[in-house]
Amino acid sequence: MDKTRTQQVLDTGILAGRILMESGSEMYRIEDTLKYILHTGGLTKPEIFTTPTGIFLSAQNIDITKMAQVTHSNINLEKVNLVNALSRQFSAGEITLDQLEAGLKQIDHSTRDFPFWWKLLSSFFISCFLMIIFIGKYDWLDFVPAGIVGMLGYGLDYYLNEILKVQFISEFIAGAAIALMAVGFQYLGLAQHINYLIIGAVMPLVPGVALTNALRDLISGHLISGLTRMVAGTLTALAIGGGIALILRFLA
């Protein structure tokens, strides 16, 4: 295989891996996808090394190594699904390498996220119904207030992340704001139980997918990424809990 083709295969694999990692995919899924792409592209015995902040690609009998730095990550399962679908089509011979590369570039730049109002609405219902599930009884008096507090807390966290670019600070402030709003709702007679409101309202902020992926990485033997993601998820939980505890310590 000529050097130009080798370069294209590695570049395409790097692009696919970066999209998957930035979208919150598990490490084993990333490595499996890259193996299929590189092997189908003509590189025998591909060598792949992934960390939460970088991807390294090469193969035996070639003198080229590609690396991509990953500086941020989010949860976008739509992109993960689209990349997986393209890689399967390429492995099955349904599309060419050029079509795969073009499709990945379109996914990287054109895949739309859910609108902000839809995320707010979702956080409202998540807070309401998970409050009922976790407390184990139907508390209809706190049902709507929990949704409102959770929606406002999620919106605050979202905008603080955009402004501050520091995840744990925004989650600490959002946790404190949730506790403050819960105290205010009870003071105004609009809710009965502060604890119920807080239990439901923090659910949109809890890094459930990140912690689940961390556990799956650990089970799959990806210790670096598993431990890194576990630490990040734990720090997020501590930031949220610390903000809530600070408000309740002085106001509740």
Side-chain angles (χ1 to χ4, degrees):
M1 187 168 60
D2 62 273
K3 191 171 183 178
T4 302
R5 170 77 176 187
T6 301
Q7 288 272 13
Q8 186 181 14
V9 172
L10 291 175
D11 288 340
T12 304
I14 280 287
L15 178 59
R18 181 178 59 78
I19 295 172
L20 288 173
M21 192 171 293
E22 289 179 349
S23 302
S25 178
E26 310 93 321
M27 287 298 175
Y28 79 87
R29 184 189 301 274
I30 297 172
E31 292 190 356
D32 285 347
T33 300
L34 296 184
K35 285 178 182 177
Y36 284 122
I37 292 176
L38 267 60
H39 183 74
T40 306
L43 299 181
T44 59
K45 298 182 179 180
E47 297 179 348
I48 303 165
F49 181 72
T50 57
T51 72
T53 56
I55 305 171
F56 301 83
L57 292 185
S58 186
Q60 293 187 8
N61 302 321
I62 65 172
D63 57 355
I64 304 173
T65 299
K66 287 288 183 179
M67 182 197 76
Q69 183 181 14
V70 180
T71 57
H72 69 277
S73 63
N74 202 347
I75 303 298
N76 193 327
L77 300 183
E78 178 71 12
K79 286 189 175 184
V80 174
N81 180 60
L82 291 174
V83 172
N84 283 337
L86 275 179
S87 67
R88 293 190 191 100
Q89 291 176 352
F90 179 64
S91 299
E94 299 174 3
I95 60 175
T96 65
L97 180 62
D98 291 332
Q99 291 173 320
L100 173 63
E101 186 177 19
L104 290 173
K105 289 180 179 178
Q106 183 177 6
I107 293 171
D108 192 26
H109 298 292
S110 304
T111 301
R112 300 177 61 183
D113 198 1
F114 289 105
F116 180 62
W117 68 267
W118 184 256
K119 294 181 180 180
L120 285 179
L121 186 62
S122 300
S123 64
F124 176 88
F125 287 109
I126 288 172
S127 301
C128 293
F129 290 107
L130 287 184
M131 181 196 73
I132 297 295
I133 291 174
F134 280 109
I135 67 175
K137 61 180 180 180
Y138 297 103
D139 181 11
W140 300 117
L141 294 176
D142 296 323
F143 187 81
V144 174
I148 295 174
V149 173
M151 179 178 64
L152 295 176
Y154 174 82
L156 178 63
D157 177 65
Y158 182 90
Y159 275 111
L160 287 176
N161 268 323
E162 294 293 323
I163 297 171
L164 300 177
K165 304 296 183 182
V166 181
Q167 178 183 359
F168 305 119
I169 294 178
S170 63
E171 288 160 350
F172 179 86
I173 297 174
I178 286 173
L180 187 61
M181 286 186 285
V183 172
F185 268 71
Q186 187 186 52
Y187 179 78
L188 295 174
L190 301 176
Q192 286 188 327
H193 304 93
I194 294 178
N195 293 340
Y196 295 174
L197 259 68
I198 294 175
I199 288 172
V202 299
M203 287 300 109
L205 304 181
V206 173
V209 175
L211 290 174
T212 301
N213 286 347
L215 185 59
R216 296 183 69 174
D217 284 344
L218 288 172
I219 294 174
S220 302
H222 297 280
L223 300 182
I224 296 177
S225 62
L227 290 174
T228 301
R229 288 177 169 179
M230 188 67 71
V231 170
T234 302
L235 289 176
T236 296
L238 290 175
I240 297 170
I244 294 172
L246 180 66
I247 297 300
L248 296 183
R249 172 66 178 81
F250 294 103
L251 296 182

